[in-house]
Amino acid sequence: MAHLVPVGTVLMGVPTMVVCVAMVLTEGQYIGGIPWPYLSDTGRERPAYYIFAVGLSLTGAFAAASNVLFWQKVYGREPHKPSMVSLVLGCGSRACCSPYAVALTAMKLVVLSAFFLVLLACFDTNRYPDIHQYSAYGFFILQTVALTLYIIADNTRYRSAKLSRTPVDAAVARAHIFRNVLYAIYAVAFLIYLPIGLSVNCAWFRLSMADCIDVEQLGETYCESIPLAGDSSRTLLWDYSGCPRSNTMRSATQFICVITLILFHGSMSVDIRNETDWGLDDAENPAPRKMKTMLGM
């Protein structure tokens, strides 16, 4: 039943994203003057906030558990049990560059990123902008490093299976290719969303009370119910209309990042269910090859 945990990541994460985005678009909620919302804005209003907070928090918990199970099943079969100190440092009985240690570090980064996901899900972008923003950055950066390490370990594992002539289940081989494709998509989307997007984007500001009532026509009662603390001439809503193209580019790639992350962790279900012994010991400590004699022996 352990293989169902990554499936739970997908079943919890994807519907949460789709429902929150659909609620915002169909109900005509204000999304900063751009055609596609930032995910932060989809969890801004009640009742979408409750779906957003609970759904993402559970998604983070499922993803963390999935990675622990994945590491234990695929990389945790050590001939010598590593000490607690070596686990904290990220190395077991092997070198720190081994697939075992690389995957262990990635697993711990994913578990840590789940904490940041809970923070950004529960502290909305309007009332707690700093906590929400830095939690989002922390989550994506940790996930990016973790996925990179997983791809390194995963490709080494696959190469090790070939070196040791270990038969690989067809489903596991497809999952391996699937993760590489997802990582490529995620890497491009992440670069556009954060480093490139932030460098070309202009600053965004709080929507003014006048624009909220007269331009956006969100209703005087609603606008006056969300004044910015210390400046009643502005609301809590963010206005991205100063740079609509760059903000739309960032919001779209952000959505792609989240979906690919969910699918990446969900694909671990295949490996957890499979019983293949990947032959990592043989690949990291290959037997010396015999020199062929003239008789071919």
Side-chain angles (χ1 to χ4, degrees):
M1 298 296 287
H3 68 280
L4 295 179
V5 177
V7 176
T9 305
V10 177
L11 294 180
M12 184 59 64
V14 174
T16 297
M17 294 294 93
V18 172
V19 169
C20 288
V21 171
M23 290 179 67
V24 167
L25 295 179
T26 57
E27 294 178 6
Q29 294 182 17
Y30 176 74
I31 54 176
I34 54 178
W36 186 264
Y38 281 105
L39 294 178
S40 302
D41 289 322
T42 65
R44 185 187 67 223
E45 307 287 348
R46 275 66 174 174
Y49 166 78
Y50 301 111
I51 299 174
F52 187 83
V54 175
L56 286 189
S57 296
L58 290 177
T59 300
F62 273 111
S66 299
N67 279 260
V68 173
L69 293 170
F70 175 78
W71 179 84
Q72 288 178 341
K73 179 62 183 290
V74 178
Y75 298 99
R77 298 176 179 179
E78 282 292 280
H80 304 289
K81 291 184 178 180
S83 64
M84 184 59 67
V85 175
S86 64
L87 285 175
V88 173
L89 294 176
C91 300
S93 59
R94 301 174 179 175
C96 281
C97 59
S98 68
Y100 163 81
V102 172
L104 176 62
T105 303
M107 179 265 287
K108 289 188 288 189
L109 290 176
V110 172
V111 173
L112 180 59
S113 72
F115 171 73
F116 286 96
L117 183 59
V118 173
L119 287 180
L120 75 89
C122 296
F123 291 89
D124 68 82
T125 183
N126 280 355
R127 294 171 176 80
Y128 308 96
D130 291 337
I131 296 177
H132 184 91
Q133 180 178 4
Y134 291 117
S135 296
Y137 291 164
F139 169 76
F140 281 111
I141 291 172
L142 289 173
Q143 283 283 339
T144 301
V145 176
L147 260 64
T148 302
L149 294 178
Y150 265 136
I151 287 299
I152 293 173
D154 209 32
N155 288 338
T156 303
R157 177 184 66 152
Y158 200 76
R159 188 165 53 249
S160 299
K162 289 186 176 181
L163 289 174
S164 61
R165 298 180 180 179
T166 302
V168 179
D169 183 79
V172 175
R174 288 193 295 268
H176 166 75
I177 297 173
F178 184 59
R179 277 194 291 272
N180 275 272
V181 172
L182 287 176
Y183 176 74
I185 297 173
Y186 174 83
V188 173
F190 173 80
L191 288 174
I192 296 175
Y193 166 53
L194 277 185
I196 296 176
L198 288 177
S199 65
V200 302
N201 204 20
C202 61
W204 54 82
F205 303 95
R206 301 285 189 170
L207 182 68
S208 68
M209 189 67 69
D211 287 344
C212 182
I213 298 174
D214 300 327
V215 178
E216 300 298 335
Q217 297 182 348
L218 299 180
E220 185 174 350
T221 302
Y222 172 76
C223 294
E224 292 180 350
S225 67
I226 50 172
L228 180 64
D231 187 0
S232 58
S233 66
R234 294 194 173 274
T235 68
L236 290 174
L237 303 175
W238 290 103
D239 183 8
Y240 312 115
S241 60
C243 295
R245 292 183 179 179
S246 59
N247 276 297
T248 302
M249 174 186 70
R250 294 190 68 234
S251 64
T253 51
Q254 181 195 55
F255 185 81
I256 294 173
C257 283
V258 173
I259 295 299
T260 51
L261 283 175
I262 294 172
L263 296 178
F264 186 96
H265 297 303
S267 70
M268 293 178 176
S269 173
V270 178
D271 300 78
I272 295 174
R273 188 173 186 176
N274 188 262
E275 297 295 336
T276 298
D277 182 356
W278 284 89
L280 292 177
D281 294 328
D282 296 335
E284 292 178 27
N285 301 288
R289 295 183 178 180
K290 295 181 179 180
M291 295 295 294
K292 291 186 179 181
T293 64
M294 294 182 62
L295 297 177
M297 302 298 292

